[in-house]
Amino acid sequence: MTAAKDYSHTSPLEHFQSSSSVHQWFKPDIDRDRLLVLMRRSNGRATRDLLLWVGLVVLAAWWLIETWASIWSFPAALVYGVLYGSASDARWHECGHRTAFASKRANDIVYHFASFMVLREPISWRRSHTRHHAETIVVGRDPEIAFPRPTSRRRIVAELFGLLSAAQEFRKYAYALIGRLPSDVETYTPGREKSRVILWARIHVLVHGVVIVSCILTKSLLPWMLIGLPSLYGRWLLFILGATQHAGLEEDVRDHRMNTRSVRMNPVIRFLYSNMNYHLEHHLFPAVPYHRLADLHIDLKDQIPAPYPSLWSALRDASSRVRRIRSEYST
């Protein structure tokens, strides 16, 4: 039987900063001038995509409100939940990198709204994601390993609705209410940002509290169905797409070609996912905006593995790898 690993990330921040500079990750060759072109950000493209997404969210919300307590509430909630609880993750991600817009302020505004929608306190999660890129799937270093070895079926079902992630986030909120951070969060959050983490966690709690009070006053669950609950019931697509990124691939390697997948997806999913199907390319050059990742893929295609031909093929590979790993830990 394979011995289980310790996935806790409790090493001091100073050690993380020094260790990440010792071992270099694989980097493909690309012309510097070409890379600078690809790294150009666009307020116009990001604004267009943002307005389309916001418009769809508002339209789906209107559909849910108008059909509330009828049979049509179910499809309305399905569409609204995906746009709110899954598509917000891509906006959180790109604006967290500050690559979606050329404007830093625009990136930060969208990032904070999307952070609430995807149920993530914004300050500590920006630090968490920075470490994820510096130490991708390095056990004990990466705080965003979604599929530890082994990953139980119960965990997978729970995360389809974000239950474990929500529990971890509300644990952080509980600590913030008494002016503290969980010890694991402190390992990747600089001390100077502790007060900001606490502030934003309390703001999130306040908003959730207002929504619950609204439900009580209106004697209806509709306010919660519109704000808060979609982070759970609408998260399933985010989990499915996220599973294609790293699930079942190599741990503790300094080569993103071995621990990250790229997948061909249709235009609708690519819009909802902000082109994160080109996930290997994103990890190799995270400063390239989402709308140039397809171009980056063309420039790198001779140096990296071919993308999986479909979402189904990537999920099938990830599932078989996760099952095989589970069997290694149970025999």
Side-chain angles (χ1 to χ4, degrees):
M1 180 184 297
T2 304
K5 297 181 180 180
D6 180 7
Y7 284 83
S8 63
H9 42 281
T10 55
S11 301
L13 183 66
E14 294 77 11
H15 174 67
F16 158 68
Q17 292 172 335
S18 61
S19 69
S20 63
S21 63
V22 173
H23 305 289
Q24 297 300 315
W25 287 84
F26 163 80
K27 285 289 185 183
D29 294 326
I30 185 171
D31 180 75
R32 181 178 180 275
D33 291 336
R34 173 60 176 166
L35 184 59
L36 290 174
V37 170
L38 292 172
M39 289 170 58
R40 290 176 186 166
R41 301 163 191 179
S42 170
N43 284 332
R45 173 61 185 269
T47 300
R48 186 201 74 178
D49 290 347
L50 176 67
L51 291 177
L52 177 57
W53 171 60
V54 170
L56 291 171
V57 171
V58 171
L59 185 62
W62 171 83
W63 184 17
L64 181 57
I65 293 169
E66 289 296 309
T67 61
W68 181 243
S70 75
I71 192 172
W72 292 104
S73 298
F74 294 100
L78 176 64
V79 173
Y80 179 72
V82 166
L83 290 169
Y84 183 116
S86 288
S88 59
D89 173 75
R91 281 72 200 169
W92 166 86
H93 179 265
E94 293 307 296
C95 292
H97 279 283
R98 294 193 175 110
T99 55
F101 295 87
S103 164
K104 178 178 179 293
R105 176 173 293 182
N107 279 315
D108 288 348
I109 290 173
V110 176
Y111 174 72
H112 278 276
F113 276 100
S115 294
F116 177 82
M117 296 173 75
V118 79
L119 200 59
R120 292 175 185 148
E121 183 283 314
I123 307 305
S124 61
W125 267 96
R126 193 192 294 274
R127 290 294 181 173
S128 168
H129 200 65
T130 297
R131 181 182 279 201
H132 169 65
H133 272 271
E135 302 282 0
T136 307
I137 319 301
V138 175
V139 176
R141 307 300 307 155
D142 184 356
E144 297 182 14
I145 296 178
F147 291 84
R149 302 187 177 198
T151 298
S152 68
R153 295 183 183 88
R154 183 179 301 177
R155 177 186 177 91
I156 291 173
V157 172
E159 275 303 274
L160 270 172
F161 303 99
L163 298 181
L164 299 180
S165 298
Q168 292 175 356
E169 206 62 18
F170 277 100
R171 169 175 167 263
K172 187 188 303 180
Y173 293 166
Y175 271 83
L177 290 177
I178 59 174
R180 297 174 54 195
L181 298 184
S183 60
D184 54 337
V185 176
E186 286 186 328
T187 64
Y188 52 78
T189 305
R192 65 182 181 276
E193 293 185 353
K194 178 179 177 180
S195 60
R196 295 180 64 208
V197 173
I198 293 171
L199 171 63
W200 280 103
R202 288 175 174 177
I203 290 173
H204 282 202
V205 171
L206 176 62
V207 176
H208 286 295
V210 169
V211 172
I212 292 173
V213 170
S214 298
C215 290
I216 295 172
L217 294 177
T218 61
K219 299 181 180 179
S220 171
L221 285 177
L222 181 58
W224 204 15
M225 285 291 292
L226 291 169
I227 302 174
L229 274 183
S231 304
L232 303 180
Y233 73 76
R235 193 182 181 92
W236 60 270
L237 182 60
L238 163 59
F239 178 80
I240 289 173
L241 296 177
T244 68
Q245 296 176 358
H246 309 286
L249 296 179
E250 296 297 321
E251 296 179 334
D252 301 330
V253 294
R254 296 278 170 173
D255 191 334
H256 290 106
R257 297 172 299 179
M258 300 171 66
N259 65 20
T260 307
R261 292 183 185 86
S262 282
V263 186
R264 297 193 185 280
M265 296 182 184
N266 66 59
V268 173
I269 297 298
R270 285 178 56 185
F271 168 74
L272 295 175
Y273 200 26
S274 290
N275 281 344
M276 278 299 105
N277 55 295
Y278 293 111
H279 210 67
L280 172 55
E281 293 81 354
H282 167 67
H283 268 271
L284 290 170
F285 295 101
V288 173
Y290 70 96
H291 60 272
R292 300 306 302 270
L293 288 176
D295 298 324
L296 177 62
H297 168 73
I298 294 173
D299 288 332
L300 301 181
K301 65 180 182 179
D302 294 332
Q303 303 179 63
I304 60 177
Y308 286 73
S310 66
L311 174 59
W312 172 247
S313 66
L315 289 173
R316 186 170 53 193
D317 177 69
S319 177
S320 65
R321 289 173 183 265
V322 169
R323 288 198 306 270
R324 175 179 55 79
I325 291 168
R326 187 188 302 126
S327 69
E328 292 175 355
Y329 282 81
S330 61
T331 58

